[in-house]
């Protein structure tokens, strides 16, 4: 039975750290098929053209006797001096976008034309002419095809002028967000009729973080709710009970019904109760066969469940009605009225040894007395409690920061962050062996990724705002971490990837380590400068 009550969300810092290395939960996963599928779906090319009628696709249709693309061979990634300046107009658009309207003068277009013709002349195998020899221009154009020549020229113009057009965006543009939005056919028509070229580029820029109020992150007052289960004393007592129970043996109950302390093996089914007497629907998440129910965990499984079946005997079946509380974790079950049917297949009681010094070493190796066991367990639980408090405080602080910042989030940043979250989720599922090949193929598809992005907009935007807020505070407060620490953490992360024979991008690893270290510094600074009050729920 997979019913559950509450869950604790991880902090942004924990999520970032989980991406840096193949930690135990990721270590055994078969990486290549999944990562490659996710990469193919997730990552953009350096420059995208919105029109499907792209230059490279069109140019592949040129005669098989001419293999190489002249414009591709000519292009250099460096900014090359042009015979005339471009006319570039910048226009700000919503979602932290900038539109660049580029006008390429005829003299630049003519220069590109001459270059393309020269390249074709070098490589085209025109019947009747030796390779590399000058071919009359009219014969060359007729052989290659006027349309193909024109496409190559437009592509050459784009590749030579794009770095110049983008020069004003240096240091502002987000990686992999550049898109040429003018249709290629429109550019061809413009060049053909005017011997010049016009095209528009859309680029996402780093969004501005606006604080409301300004510097509102300073001297925060935070109330942090802690689950009662995190209480160190209670947790240590429960751990002691758990260890004590593990030393006992189960004995069959034959002469009575179930009571607190017993272990029952149950078959459980549940259906909805419809107000209009329509057919009841099963509730799969509440059903289980051969479910081993420890009565001491009764209310953790389902509040009131133990009370409802108390007294049930081996071989007996009980039914009871239940209304899921409005606080139930599964939203689709909140307020739903259900009928549970429970059959007791087996019933056991625990035969436990006396809880005294004689079993101290079995409870915790190395201890000789029960008091030593209790003290050691409490110390461990105090460490866990402190860690849980810090994580809860970090979550509360990050949530508060999100409410204090206004950010116009660009689409490319949203997609990148969303796909990172989705990729991490898939890797975790794969590591837990919850996916077969067919499920993995579907979940790695573009359709599945886009559905995730659409259904998790709020959460993705929340994480992005946390990222940006933390980064802004790091800069504003001139926080720092040591170079030695950065080098050490990068080295450790890379060692983990190598140990698990997994691919990695060293620069990306370094970037993420920097983000984690920045986040750690910011959260520590915020905790030190915040007034934090803890309450138990």
């Amino acid at each position: 039975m997979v019913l559950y009550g509450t869950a604790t969300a991880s902090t942004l810092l924990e999520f970032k750290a989980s991406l840096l290395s193949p930690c135990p939960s990721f270590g055994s996963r078969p990486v290549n098929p999944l990562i490659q599928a996710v990469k193919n779906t997730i990552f953009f090319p350096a420059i995208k053209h919105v029109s499907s009628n792209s230059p490279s696709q069109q140019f592949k249709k040129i005669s098989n006797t001419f293999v190489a693309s002249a414009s591709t061979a000519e292009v250099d990634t460096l900014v090359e001096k042009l015979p005339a300046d471009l006319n570039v107009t910048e226009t700000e658009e919503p979602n932290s976008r900038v539109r660049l309207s580029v006008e390429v003068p005829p003299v630049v277009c003519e220069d590109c034309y001459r270059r393309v013709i020269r390249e074709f002349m070098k490589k085209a195998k025109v019947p009747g002419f030796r390779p590399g020899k000058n071919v009359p221009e009219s014969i060359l154009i007729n052989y290659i095809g006027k349309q193909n020549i024109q496409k190559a020229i437009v592509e050459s113009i784009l590749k030579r002028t794009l770095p110049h057009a983008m020069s004003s965006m240096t240091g502002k543009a987000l990686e992999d967000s550049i898109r040429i939005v003018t249709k290629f056919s429109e550019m061809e028509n413009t060049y053909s009729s005017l011997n010049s070229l016009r095209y528009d580029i859309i680029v996402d820029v780093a969004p501005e973080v606006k604080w409301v109020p300004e510097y509102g992150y300073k001297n925060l007052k935070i109330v942090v709710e802690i689950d009662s289960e995190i209480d160190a004393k209670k947790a240590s007592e429960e751990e002691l009970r758990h260890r004590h129970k593990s030393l006992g043996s189960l004995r069959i109950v034959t002469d009575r019904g179930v009571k607190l302390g017993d272990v029952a093996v149950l078959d459980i089914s549940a259906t909805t109760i419809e107000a209009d007497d329509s057919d009841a629907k099963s509730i799969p998440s509440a059903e289980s066969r051969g479910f081993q129910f420890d009565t001491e965990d009764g209310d953790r499984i389902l509040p009131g469940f133990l009370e409802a079946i108390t007294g049930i005997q081996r071989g007996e079946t009980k039914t009871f009605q239940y209304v899921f509380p409005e606080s139930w974790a599964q939203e689709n079950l909140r307020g739903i009225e259900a009928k549970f049917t429970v059959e007791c297949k087996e019933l056991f009681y625990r035969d436990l040894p006396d809880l005294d010094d004689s079993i101290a070493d079995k409870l915790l190796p190395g201890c000789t007395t029960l008091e030593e066991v209790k003290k050691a367990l409490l110390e461990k639980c105090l460490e866990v409690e402190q860690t849980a408090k810090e994580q809860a405080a970090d979550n509360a602080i990050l949530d508060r920061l999100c409410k204090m910042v206004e950010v116009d989030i660009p689409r490319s940043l949203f997609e990148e962050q969303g796909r990172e979250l989705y990729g991490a989720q898939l890797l975790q599922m794969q590591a837990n062996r919850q996916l077969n090949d067919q499920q993995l193929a579907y979940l790695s598809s573009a359709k599945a990724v886009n559905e995730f992005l659409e259904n998790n907009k709020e959460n993705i935007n929340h994480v992005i705002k946390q990222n940006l807020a933390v980064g802004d505070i790091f800069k504003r407060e001139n926080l720092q971490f040591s170079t030695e620490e950065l080098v050490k953490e990068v080295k450790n992360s890379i060692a983990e990837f190598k140990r698990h024979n997994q691919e990695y991008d060293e620069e990306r690893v370094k970037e993420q380590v920097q983000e984690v270290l920045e986040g750690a510094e910011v959260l520590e600074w915020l905790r030190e400068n915040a007034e934090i009050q803890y309450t138990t729920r």
Side-chain angles (χ1 to χ4, degrees):
M1 187 164 71
V2 294
L3 288 171
Y4 55 87
T6 60
T8 303
S10 61
T11 65
L12 169 66
L13 189 59
E14 288 178 302
F15 167 72
K16 287 286 185 184
S18 73
L19 298 179
L20 293 176
S21 62
C23 58
S25 60
F26 295 156
S28 60
R29 63 179 182 267
V31 174
N32 289 343
L34 175 59
I35 287 186
Q36 192 57 51
V38 172
K39 279 184 177 179
N40 290 341
T41 304
I42 288 176
F43 298 106
F44 308 107
I47 298 173
K48 294 187 288 187
H49 193 283
V50 173
S51 170
S52 60
N53 189 24
S54 68
S56 58
Q57 288 175 324
Q58 290 296 325
F59 200 61
K60 288 177 182 176
K61 298 178 183 178
I62 295 177
S63 172
N64 290 334
T65 59
F66 182 70
V67 179
S69 163
S71 57
T72 302
E74 186 69 24
V75 171
D76 197 319
T77 55
L78 297 175
V79 178
E80 181 184 356
K81 185 174 177 60
L82 299 176
D85 292 334
L86 308 179
N87 184 13
V88 182
T89 304
E90 294 184 16
T91 306
E92 290 188 4
E93 295 194 348
N95 301 113
S96 297
R97 284 180 172 179
V98 173
R99 179 181 292 268
L100 302 175
S101 298
V102 185
E103 294 183 15
V104 184
V107 65
V108 175
C109 295
E110 178 65 21
D111 189 59
C112 290
Y113 170 82
R114 289 298 163 196
R115 290 191 175 204
V116 169
I117 291 298
R118 285 198 301 270
E119 284 299 313
F120 272 117
M121 247 177 223
K122 290 178 185 177
K123 298 180 180 179
K125 297 178 180 179
V126 182
F129 294 88
R130 292 182 186 177
K133 295 297 182 180
N134 287 338
V135 180
E137 196 169 298
S138 58
I139 295 176
L140 180 68
I141 292 174
N142 185 58
Y143 176 71
I144 300 297
K146 186 176 180 180
Q147 281 292 101
N148 291 327
I149 292 283
Q150 186 169 280
K151 292 179 189 300
I153 293 167
V154 172
E155 186 174 311
S156 177
I157 293 169
L158 289 175
K159 291 183 177 180
R160 287 186 66 193
T161 61
L162 190 61
H164 292 270
M166 287 295 302
S167 60
S168 64
M169 293 290 103
T170 303
K172 301 177 185 176
L174 294 181
E175 186 179 0
D176 300 336
S177 72
I178 306 167
R179 299 178 296 286
I180 298 174
V181 294
T182 305
K183 291 181 179 178
F184 193 74
S185 58
E186 291 179 11
M187 290 187 280
E188 283 186 284
N189 292 335
T190 302
Y191 173 74
S192 178
S193 59
L194 301 175
N195 197 32
S196 63
L197 198 68
R198 298 191 190 100
Y199 61 93
D200 282 1
I201 305 167
I202 291 290
V203 58
D204 292 341
V205 296
E208 179 184 355
V209 178
K210 182 180 179 182
W211 291 90
V212 182
E214 184 73 11
Y215 291 99
Y217 60 86
K218 293 190 174 183
N219 302 313
L220 292 174
K221 293 184 179 180
I222 302 291
V223 177
V224 182
E225 287 190 337
I226 302 293
D227 288 333
S228 59
E229 294 178 1
I230 294 176
D231 179 84
K233 191 173 187 306
K234 289 182 180 178
S236 65
E237 291 171 352
E238 187 171 328
E239 178 64 17
L240 180 61
R241 282 198 299 273
H242 172 75
R243 290 171 181 251
H244 185 210
K245 287 193 294 186
S246 70
L247 298 178
S249 55
L250 295 177
R251 308 292 185 189
I252 297 175
V253 176
T254 58
D255 57 350
R256 62 170 175 80
V258 68
K259 67 178 184 179
L260 185 63
D262 290 342
V263 175
V265 178
L266 309 173
D267 282 353
I268 304 169
S269 61
T271 58
T272 59
I273 298 175
E274 306 296 335
D276 57 0
D277 295 327
S278 60
D279 292 340
K281 300 180 181 65
S282 65
I283 306 175
S285 62
E287 297 183 345
S288 182
R289 289 190 174 276
F291 177 65
Q292 187 167 311
F293 174 56
D294 187 335
T295 54
E296 291 187 359
D297 297 331
D299 283 348
R300 294 182 187 175
I301 305 299
L302 186 72
F305 183 77
L306 175 60
E307 183 181 354
I309 68 166
T310 295
I312 191 173
Q313 296 191 21
R314 181 169 177 260
E316 186 181 355
T317 299
K318 277 194 174 186
T319 62
F320 63 91
Q321 293 185 1
Y322 185 82
V323 178
F324 287 93
E326 292 298 330
S327 59
W328 194 249
Q330 292 165 277
E331 292 184 16
N332 64 316
L333 292 181
R334 291 173 184 172
I336 294 295
E337 188 175 358
K339 183 175 81 170
F340 277 80
T341 302
V342 180
E343 180 183 359
C344 182
K345 309 295 288 186
E346 301 287 348
L347 183 59
F348 304 93
Y349 71 93
R350 281 196 174 87
D351 186 9
L352 299 174
D354 291 337
L355 186 60
D356 55 28
D357 294 347
S358 64
I359 62 170
D361 186 61
K362 293 180 181 178
L363 291 169
L364 190 62
C367 294
T368 57
T369 67
L370 186 59
E371 283 305 311
E372 285 182 16
V373 173
K374 291 179 178 179
K375 183 180 179 181
L377 292 179
L378 180 58
E379 287 176 355
K380 183 63 178 176
C381 288
L382 283 170
E383 292 177 9
V384 173
E385 179 186 43
Q386 183 59 34
T387 300
K389 281 186 174 182
E390 289 178 359
Q391 290 177 354
D394 289 346
N395 281 331
I397 288 170
L398 290 169
D399 286 341
R400 177 67 64 84
L401 294 183
C402 278
K403 295 173 182 176
M404 300 173 71
V405 294
E406 294 179 359
V407 181
D408 199 10
I409 298 174
R411 180 67 187 181
S412 62
L413 185 58
F414 170 83
E415 290 182 347
E416 180 185 5
Q417 183 64 70
R419 286 165 172 162
E420 275 193 5
L421 289 168
Y422 186 68
Q425 187 180 96
L426 277 189
L427 291 172
Q428 183 66 65
M429 294 172 68
Q430 182 71 351
N432 293 337
R433 304 184 185 280
Q434 295 175 352
L435 300 176
N436 57 39
D437 291 343
Q438 186 176 0
Q439 291 170 325
L440 182 59
Y442 171 74
L443 290 174
S444 300
S445 68
K447 180 182 177 183
V449 174
N450 290 331
E451 285 177 355
F452 176 85
L453 295 179
E454 185 64 28
N455 296 332
N456 292 272
K457 278 183 179 178
E458 186 176 348
N459 182 48
I460 295 168
N461 285 331
H462 192 77
V463 172
I464 292 171
K465 290 173 75 175
Q466 287 180 352
N467 262 325
L468 295 173
V470 166
D472 193 56
I473 294 172
F474 187 83
K475 292 176 183 176
R476 284 179 175 228
E477 300 303 322
N478 296 314
L479 301 178
Q480 295 180 342
F481 51 81
S482 68
T483 304
E484 292 78 10
E485 190 174 7
L486 174 62
V487 171
K488 177 185 174 183
E489 292 302 326
V490 170
K491 185 178 180 181
N492 290 342
S493 295
I494 290 176
E496 280 295 295
F497 280 109
K498 288 181 177 178
R499 189 164 67 86
H500 292 275
N501 296 318
Q502 295 187 8
E503 297 178 5
Y504 64 90
D505 180 333
E506 187 167 346
E507 279 303 309
R508 184 58 180 146
V509 171
K510 184 177 179 181
E511 288 174 9
Q512 290 195 335
V513 168
Q514 287 177 319
E515 290 174 4
V516 170
L517 295 177
E518 286 181 10
E521 291 293 328
V522 169
L523 286 171
E524 183 180 356
W525 185 89
L526 289 170
R527 282 196 301 267
E528 289 175 353
N529 291 275
E531 182 182 320
I532 302 176
Q533 178 184 350
Y534 294 95
T535 62
T536 303
R537 62 186 175 196

